[in-house]
Structure formats: structure tokens, C-alpha cells
Amino acid sequence: FKDFSYRHCCPVAHSAMARPRILFMGVLRCCSRVCKVIRGFCKDSPWVSLIVLAIVLLIVLVITIFSALTRRIIGTRGTVILDLTLFWLFACLVARVLMFPGSCKLFQRNTEATYRTEISRQYSHFLRQLWTFLRHAAKQSDAVLRGVTAEGIFRGIAVIETLTASFQMQQQQHEVRLSKEQELVHAAAQEVERWLAGASVREAGASGTAAVPLPLLEWLRQQATSMSQNPIGLMSVELTGDREDAVRSIHKVEELLAILDELKNQKKGVLSNLVRFFQVPTVGSLNQLRTELQMRYGGQRIWVPTRGSHRLDAMYIPCDSAPGAGDEEALHEEAQPLKSGAAERAPCYLPGPTLIWCNPNAAYYETMVFQAGWLSFWLSRGISLFFFNYAGYGRSTGKPSPS
């Protein structure tokens, strides 16, 4: 009865007493959400979390030393005003990172590190099948070809072609300066691709006599499109031609495998991992993803001028440029052979609807190359696509803002 009288007879006093409690519970819920986000971020990206923590501690140390020095020069009151100003600037920087994480280079490097690991794993899987087959065909190994298929070998060759075309396009069209490791991978892929173009195999006939040599790529294409996919056929062929050239090319494939295996695994030592984190990855960079959008879907690069002499990095994909438009299953294969890089041409806009794709605040349009389902959905329906990066994201210049 007392509780009833208090609530209904004094609603103003009750609401005044409940307001601080509601505010306190709201703050607790907000802190709980922030802690969950931080725990999830630390679990998903431990290296980035370690780097952020080190930067924060370094900033605190610098501020402490700076305050102690300025106190002797401008006094306590001037030091407080200066510290508040610096704190405001730091808070603005933190707010920008929280609102527009994609504009932070650390976040971009973390995104590229994720794709570096995944792409290296896929490339290594198919290249290992190619390497195993070539060693068996060159009579360097008598082991049974377990887990090796003609389709997997053919995709391993597509990986070689992709690496060559991607690095060449990055240099010629995107004016990207390759790192030493990228130059090593590019040179090895070029040499293997050159050898594969002229390599041939000989298959034993039904009577045991040697058959006529066939081009390796043509024979693998026939095997990959065959319904039987008989592994015995892969083991019954041998390479013909210059043996030294074949052995050298097989060794180059082995070098590529060693580099990819190192890229998909963490290095020993914190310093080595930090150095690799801040470097542009050999595979999986935004530059490579951008070239794959061009090669897979015929994307056309566009620079959009904005205020202040800045420009946005964008890409236009005509609806009729997608290979196998309407073939959902083919476009979902992320490791499909890519089209060879051709010389860049002026954008050719098609009549009809164009979808302007706005990324989330922590994404880049280059990563859409792995969203084959969405690309297939729109392109197969006659709708062209226009992707772009916000100001400060990727290669786009300027600073991001809500406006």
C-alpha cells in the first residue's frame, strides 16, 4: 500500500529518483557493448589490437613528458589549456577512426592481410596440384597423384596467368611500384607461363605404343572438360621436349609455392610480423583486387573530381562485360580463369540502368571481386554497376565526412 501511494501520489518525485538509475543502467549497457566489441576485435585481429595498444601507450607517454616540459615554460594554466586542445584534437581523430575506419591505413592493412592469407591459401592449393602433376610427368616422382584432378591442374595454370596479368596491369595501368618479392613472383610466373605455352605431353596408346605429342594446355583442357576425370589418365602421360627447361620451370613453381606458404602463415617473431603487416602484401592487396575486377568483369577505372581538387577512385562495370552472364554457378567460382589484361581504354557507358554501390564505412569497392553472387545478380539482369571509394579510402584523396 505504501509503494502504491508513493508511485501514484508522487509521480514527479518517483520519476526524478528513477532517472539517475536509468541513466546509470544505460551507461552500463553502453560500456558492456563497447567491451564486447573490443573483445571481438582483439580476438579477430590480435596484431592490430597490439599495435593500437602500443600506439595509445606511446601517446600517453609522450603527453606526460610533453606536459612536464611545457609546465616549466608556460606554467600550469598554459599547460592545462594546451593539454585540453591536444585532447580535443585526439578525440576528433578517434571519432574519425570510429566513424570512418576504412580511412585508417591500419584498417586497410588489416583488410589486405586477411585477403593475403585467404588468396595465398587458394593459390597454394591449386599450384600444389600443378606442381605434383608436373613432377610426375617429368618422371621426378612415382607417387600416386592423390587429390590431383585435371580441373585443379588447369586452375593452377590459371593462377600463373592471373599473377602475370595482375602484376603487369598494376605496373602499366595503375603505376604501382612492385616490391622485391612481387618482382620475384612476377618473374617466376612469367617464366612458367612462357614454358607452359610451348610444353607438350605424350600419352601411351591402347596398344602401349607412344602417342603423338599434344600441347599440354590443350590436353589438360580436354581432361578438365571430360566427364570421367580419370586420375589414371593423368599418371599415364610424360613431358616431351627440353628436359632442362621443364625442370627449371618446375623449380619456379616450387619457389612460388614456398612464397605462398610463407604468406599464408605467421612469421616467427613479433617484429617480423609487424614489418610484414605494414608492408603492401605480395598478394591480396587492394591493387591486385582492383585488377581482378578489371580482368574478370571488364571493369573500367574512373576518377571522379570532387571539391578541393580531390578525386574519388571509382570503377564502372558494364552489364555485358561479365563472363558467362546469367551463369550463377560459374560466377560463384572465385578461382575461375581470368581474362588476360588488355590495354586500358576510355570508359564506355552503356544505355540502361546503372546501380551506384555505396560501401559500408569499413569497406573498399575492390573487395567486391569476391562478392560474385551480388555481381552476377545485377549484371545478369542488364544492370551496370558503379563502385567507388569514399574520400580518404584506398586511393581516393581528401578526408571523409558525414556530408
Side-chain angles (χ1 to χ4, degrees):
F1 177 75
K2 292 181 179 180
D3 182 63
F4 174 81
S5 301
Y6 172 76
R7 290 185 178 184
H8 293 274
C9 296
C10 304
V12 176
H14 176 72
S15 60
M17 296 180 62
R19 192 176 295 114
R21 182 174 61 86
I22 296 174
L23 180 61
F24 179 72
M25 296 301 296
V27 172
L28 285 182
R29 285 193 296 268
C30 182
C31 292
S32 176
R33 293 175 182 175
V34 171
C35 291
K36 288 181 179 179
V37 172
I38 293 176
R39 284 200 302 267
F41 187 75
C42 293
K43 183 178 179 181
D44 297 336
S45 306
W47 289 111
V48 177
S49 305
L50 181 62
I51 294 172
V52 172
L53 179 61
I55 292 176
V56 171
L57 293 177
L58 181 61
I59 291 175
V60 171
L61 179 62
V62 171
I63 291 176
T64 303
I65 298 175
F66 180 76
S67 299
L69 294 176
T70 55
R71 189 179 295 111
R72 297 181 179 181
I73 301 175
I74 61 177
T76 303
R77 183 176 299 179
T79 302
V80 171
I81 296 176
L82 182 60
D83 288 344
L84 291 177
T85 304
L86 294 177
F87 177 78
W88 170 255
L89 295 176
F90 178 73
C92 292
L93 177 62
V94 172
R96 174 185 169 181
V97 171
L98 293 178
M99 293 179 62
F100 311 104
S103 63
C104 179
K105 284 297 180 182
L106 286 177
F107 191 87
Q108 178 179 334
R109 289 290 178 261
N110 183 60
T111 302
E112 291 177 327
T114 302
Y115 282 98
R116 179 203 70 211
T117 304
E118 181 61 25
I119 292 177
S120 298
R121 185 187 63 82
Q122 293 184 11
Y123 283 3
S124 177
H125 174 71
F126 295 118
L127 272 184
R128 196 168 300 279
Q129 293 192 46
L130 174 63
W131 175 71
T132 304
F133 166 75
L134 292 178
R135 291 186 71 242
H136 191 279
K139 305 303 179 183
Q140 293 183 351
S141 173
D142 296 330
V144 179
L145 300 180
R146 298 185 182 276
V148 178
T149 62
E151 183 180 1
I153 299 171
F154 198 71
R155 290 189 175 184
I157 297 175
V159 169
I160 299 294
E161 297 173 349
T162 298
L163 291 173
T164 303
S166 176
F167 286 129
Q168 183 177 356
M169 185 176 292
Q170 290 180 46
Q171 287 181 306
Q172 295 179 355
Q173 298 185 14
H174 300 185
E175 299 179 354
V176 174
R177 184 176 181 180
L178 302 181
S179 64
K180 292 183 178 180
E181 191 171 57
Q182 287 177 328
E183 291 178 351
L184 179 62
V185 172
H186 187 203
Q190 279 185 320
E191 184 172 346
V192 175
E193 185 181 22
R194 176 193 59 78
W195 174 77
L196 288 172
S200 58
V201 294
R202 182 171 54 241
E203 186 176 8
S207 60
T209 58
V212 177
L214 295 174
L216 175 61
L217 297 180
E218 180 182 347
W219 180 82
L220 282 174
R221 190 175 291 107
Q222 294 175 359
Q223 295 294 321
T225 55
S226 175
M227 297 297 294
S228 60
Q229 291 282 335
N230 188 3
I232 299 179
L234 299 176
M235 300 178 60
S236 62
V237 296
E238 62 178 357
L239 293 173
T240 61
D242 189 355
R243 179 174 176 81
E244 292 184 359
D245 199 7
V247 172
R248 184 167 54 252
S249 298
I250 294 174
H251 181 67
K252 291 296 182 181
V253 176
E254 189 174 355
E255 290 181 357
L256 292 175
L257 275 174
I259 294 175
L260 293 174
D261 289 339
E262 184 182 3
L263 290 175
K264 70 180 181 180
N265 299 319
Q266 289 189 352
K267 289 187 175 182
K268 294 182 179 179
V270 177
L271 183 60
S272 300
N273 283 285
L274 288 178
V275 171
R276 184 169 70 175
F277 178 84
F278 283 104
Q279 293 176 342
V280 178
T282 303
V283 297
S285 65
L286 294 185
N287 296 325
Q288 180 186 359
L289 301 184
R290 191 182 312 113
T291 58
E292 292 205 13
L293 268 177
Q294 293 181 266
M295 293 187 291
R296 290 193 187 189
Y297 301 100
Q300 303 171 14
R301 292 191 308 138
I302 301 173
W303 289 104
V304 181
T306 59
R307 297 177 181 177
S309 300
H310 296 295
R311 57 182 187 172
L312 301 181
D313 180 20
M315 181 166 293
Y316 175 75
I317 301 181
C319 59
D320 63 343
S321 297
D327 189 353
E328 297 276 346
E329 184 177 359
L331 285 175
H332 273 287
E333 296 290 346
E334 297 176 352
Q336 60 179 313
L338 307 182
K339 295 190 291 185
S340 60
E344 188 175 17
R345 60 187 185 277
C348 178
Y349 306 108
L350 297 178
T354 297
L355 175 67
I356 300 178
W357 186 276
C358 298
N359 294 315
N361 64 339
Y364 310 91
Y365 80 79
E366 289 89 346
T367 60
M368 289 299 297
V369 70
F370 289 102
Q371 302 293 331
W374 283 109
L375 296 178
S376 172
F377 177 83
W378 296 109
L379 295 174
S380 62
R381 286 161 174 77
I383 300 177
S384 302
L385 299 174
F386 182 84
F387 298 136
F388 70 98
N389 281 333
Y390 301 120
Y393 284 56
R395 298 189 306 167
S396 296
T397 59
K399 294 182 179 180
S401 65
S403 59

